[in-house]
Amino acid sequence: MAGGVTALTAHPTYAVFERYMVLYKRLWRASVFSSFALPLLFLASIGLGVGQYVGSLEGVPYAAWIVPGVLASTAFQMAVGESTYGVLGSFKWTRSSHAMYATRVSIGDMLRGWLLYLVVRGVIAVAVFMAVVVWFGVLASPWALATPLVAALLTVATAAPVTAFAASIDHDSYFALLFRFVMIPATLFSGVFFPVEQMGGWKVAAYVSPLWHGVALCRAATLGQEPPWPVWAHAGVLVAVAAAGWWWASAAFRRRLRD
Amino acid sequence: MQPLIYARGLVKRFGSFTAVDGIDLEVQPGEAFGFLGPNGAGKSSTMRMISCVSMPSAGELRILGRDPVREGPAIRARLGVCPQLDNLDPDLTVWENLTTYARYFGLSRAEARRKAGELLEFAQLTEKASSLVEPLSGGMKRRLTIARAMVNDPELVLLDEPTTGLDPQARHLLWERLFRLKQQGVTLVLTTHYMDEAEQLCDRLVVMDGGRIVAEGSPRRLIEDYSSPEVVELRFGLEELAGYVPRLEGVGDRVDPLPDRILLYAKDGDEAVAEVHRRGLTPSSVLVRRSTLEDVFLHLTGRTLVD
Ligand SMILES: Nc1ncnc2c1ncn2[C@@H]1O[C@H](COP(=O)(O)OP(=O)(O)OP(=O)(O)O)[C@@H](O)[C@H]1O
Ligand SMILES: [Mg+2]
């Protein structure tokens, strides 16, 4: 593109990312605190409670088995939570997305800046979580260092389609459907709390859930085991879901902003 | 010179509804151009297409000589847009609203801060810098939205009802600022429902109605073409006005009954008043004034009952 734009500094994608970070810099304490408190609560409840009954699973102590699941679901829940009311509101109530689009920022920049911000959030949440649980001896393998990477991929694979959904609907009552029929079932049946093999034939339902692939990769990393599918297959599904979500979100943003 | 805005047969449809119905426009660099028209005329729909966010349904549109469909971001980088409805970022402070917006246009951090300071001054919101947007008054939000539109030193400024909700002092201040921008060669396009604003600011106007342009020209030219030099306003207490219309037939050039008064368009107002009295009519009040854009507007947009 020609024009005087090139001489200026901030890339529009980065400018969008920065807008979210301005807000995060004000709110990060609360957010880091909850990433910090959550694993402690979990470990207390499982270590003292459930774990006593379950003992070990697939040859590892239940606490060590469940930690990577909770880790992945932290990123998953953050991505879903952030991508609902805020996204719809920026089109429908505050129209701040319209304001952003009236500048040099393109729809691609808006999506990239937004997802980049969520990746940073997801990685911070997971890193804080790991910094806590590492002291409980539940991270068995140095591959655990790869979990933030998995969290980043899972964040994008979750946030992209949920953002697209939020940008497509006209009323926030649809979020209740999303929470009840997508997010809660996904959290319960994606191998976070028990192996999907226990669901018999129903386990194929987990295969379409990005969370299951995220959990599988996180668990493989923290326990130093082989994942159920080859790593490239899990990662491939996450990339495919992210790409489909991206495509859908671009279309939804276009319809909203260019009408 | 190449026009900054060039439109031919421009159409905007929403479903089966046609909001803008084939308009032609040309706005030259340095011009101050205005849209007038009643509610729903299609002014904002047109402005949104000119600001390269809303895509035309048909017709040709070129902004700054470029194609808005393919080169949207590059064109928008050089525009300043104040939409009809404020769309400030409620999560951010007044200051951050300006600095983040500056960053969307690619200004460096230092430049963004300098610009934000300058624009807070412009909007007279310096002491509100660290406030969130929500507690601001309606007029303050409006001023901030206008200031935000200037953050990239735009070549073309698009203002959709900029002064709606501003107090008279803020309005006059804004007029003065816009006039200064115009002196610097910035091209202004605005919509307004205030005829005095249009007369003060615009070199050239179009009147829109039902998605079409029904008249075009300088304010003075429009008055010459669509009104008479003087207007007589007659009031007749609480009586039904329609009954007087036949009795005023032929006084001046045209008779327009409004809900509360009758307007007589005439070359010479005093002469028309004399004629009214000669016909034995006794209005409760008589006012002779010069014709204004308001009269043109009322005439063109069918707010009058009889033509
Ligand atoms: N997004 C939309 N979807 C459907 N119809 C729309 C949309 N935007 C505008 N319209 C319709 O198009 C017509 C023109 O609207 P527009 O906002 O352009 O009018 P306007 O001249 O700016 O009016 P006002 O003076 O009230 O601001 C209206 O009938 C309006 O209902
Ligand atoms: Mg409007």
Side-chain angles (χ1 to χ4, degrees), chain B residues 219-232 253-254 256 263-267 289-300:
Chain B
R220 179 193 298 246
R221 186 66 204 269
L222 285 171
I223 292 169
E224 279 169 14
D225 287 358
Y226 295 96
S227 195
S228 52
E230 296 195 325
V231 179
V232 182
D253 307 333
R254 207 171 70 237
D256 268 353
L263 302 185
L264 298 177
Y265 295 88
K267 262 188 247 2
R289 58 168 174 81
R290 287 169 47 97
S291 212
T292 66
L293 265 186
E294 186 102 35
D295 301 306
V296 175
F297 183 83
L298 290 175
H299 175 53
L300 285 171

Side-chain angles (χ1 to χ4, degrees), chain A residues 1-5 8-12 14-16 18-19 22-23 26 94-96 98-107 256-259, chain B residues 12 14 48 52-55 66 69 73-74 76-77 81 85-93 96 100-101 103-109 132 148:
Chain A
M1 274 190 297
V5 187
L8 301 166
T9 54
H11 189 279
Y14 186 71
V16 173
E18 222 179 46
R19 178 252 172 248
V22 167
L23 194 60
R26 278 213 294 276
T94 72
R95 299 177 67 85
S96 54
H98 291 80
M100 206 184 263
Y101 189 57
T103 69
R104 194 178 51 131
V105 171
S106 69
I107 285 172
R256 271 235 136 90
L257 295 171
R258 292 155 61 110
D259 75 331
Chain B
K12 182 70 196 184
F14 297 104
R48 285 172 26 76
C52 302
V53 293
S54 162
M55 294 297 124
R66 307 170 90 168
V69 180
R76 293 195 300 269
V81 177
L85 298 175
D86 294 326
N87 53 16
L88 298 163
D89 197 326
D91 294 329
L92 305 180
T93 64
E96 290 163 350
T100 49
Y101 217 67
R103 299 285 284 162
Y104 294 159
F105 284 104
L107 275 68
S108 72
R109 287 211 180 85
L132 284 175
R148 192 185 63 177

Side-chain angles (χ1 to χ4, degrees), chain B residues 220-282:
Chain B
R220 179 193 298 246
R221 186 66 204 269
L222 285 171
I223 292 169
E224 279 169 14
D225 287 358
Y226 295 96
S227 195
S228 52
E230 296 195 325
V231 179
V232 182
E233 297 196 6
L234 303 175
R235 285 171 201 268
F236 289 92
L238 297 169
E239 292 169 66
E240 188 55 54
L241 292 177
Y244 288 99
V245 175
R247 298 176 64 187
L248 289 166
E249 202 76 48
V251 184
D253 307 333
R254 207 171 70 237
V255 183
D256 268 353
L258 300 183
D260 58 334
R261 67 210 134 116
I262 294 179
L263 302 185
L264 298 177
Y265 295 88
K267 262 188 247 2
D268 181 341
D270 293 330
E271 170 50 34
V273 174
E275 176 61 23
V276 169
H277 287 132
R278 272 199 292 279
R279 295 188 180 193
L281 297 170
T282 50

Side-chain angles (χ1 to χ4, degrees), chain A residues 259, chain B residues 14 17 19 37-46 48 84 160-161 193:
Chain A
D259 75 331
Chain B
F14 297 104
F17 178 78
N39 295 137
K43 304 181 297 294
S44 297
S45 304
T46 306
R48 285 172 26 76
Q84 181 168 357
D160 197 348
E161 299 191 24
H193 289 296

Side-chain angles (χ1 to χ4, degrees), chain B residues 35-188:
Chain B
F35 286 95
L36 298 181
N39 295 137
K43 304 181 297 294
S44 297
S45 304
T46 306
M47 289 290 266
R48 285 172 26 76
M49 287 191 280
I50 296 173
S51 45
C52 302
V53 293
S54 162
M55 294 297 124
S57 310
E60 193 186 342
L61 181 65
R62 297 191 75 74
I63 306 296
L64 308 174
R66 307 170 90 168
D67 175 5
V69 180
R70 288 187 297 112
E71 302 174 279
I75 304 173
R76 293 195 300 269
R78 295 157 62 189
L79 307 183
V81 177
C82 169
Q84 181 168 357
L85 298 175
D86 294 326
N87 53 16
L88 298 163
D89 197 326
D91 294 329
L92 305 180
T93 64
V94 168
W95 175 263
E96 290 163 350
N97 258 279
L98 293 173
T99 52
T100 49
Y101 217 67
R103 299 285 284 162
Y104 294 159
F105 284 104
L107 275 68
S108 72
R109 287 211 180 85
E111 188 67 5
R113 279 196 297 272
R114 193 187 64 73
K115 202 71 201 171
E118 190 184 305
L119 288 170
L120 280 185
E121 218 42 48
F122 167 86
Q124 299 189 301
L125 288 171
T126 308
E127 64 283 18
K128 296 280 181 188
S130 56
S131 161
L132 284 175
V133 165
E134 211 38 61
L136 297 186
S137 78
M140 290 176 180
K141 286 182 196 164
R142 199 70 194 139
R143 269 149 45 194
L144 182 57
T145 308
I146 296 168
R148 192 185 63 177
M150 310 295 169
V151 84
N152 57 329
D153 293 320
E155 291 161 57
L156 173 58
V157 176
L158 304 165
L159 304 155
D160 197 348
E161 299 191 24
T163 61
T164 300
L166 293 190
D167 64 33
Q169 194 243 341
R171 264 179 89 198
H172 283 95
L173 189 71
L174 179 68
W175 289 357
E176 189 258 324
R177 297 288 156 84
L178 292 179
F179 192 74
R180 276 220 304 253
L181 282 179
K182 198 180 152 220
Q183 301 295 89
Q184 293 160 20
V186 175
T187 309
L188 300 176

Side-chain angles (χ1 to χ4, degrees), chain B residues 203-215:
Chain B
D203 304 321
R204 204 152 57 87
L205 297 166
V206 290
V207 180
M208 284 187 80
D209 196 17
R212 294 169 179 278
I213 291 177
V214 293

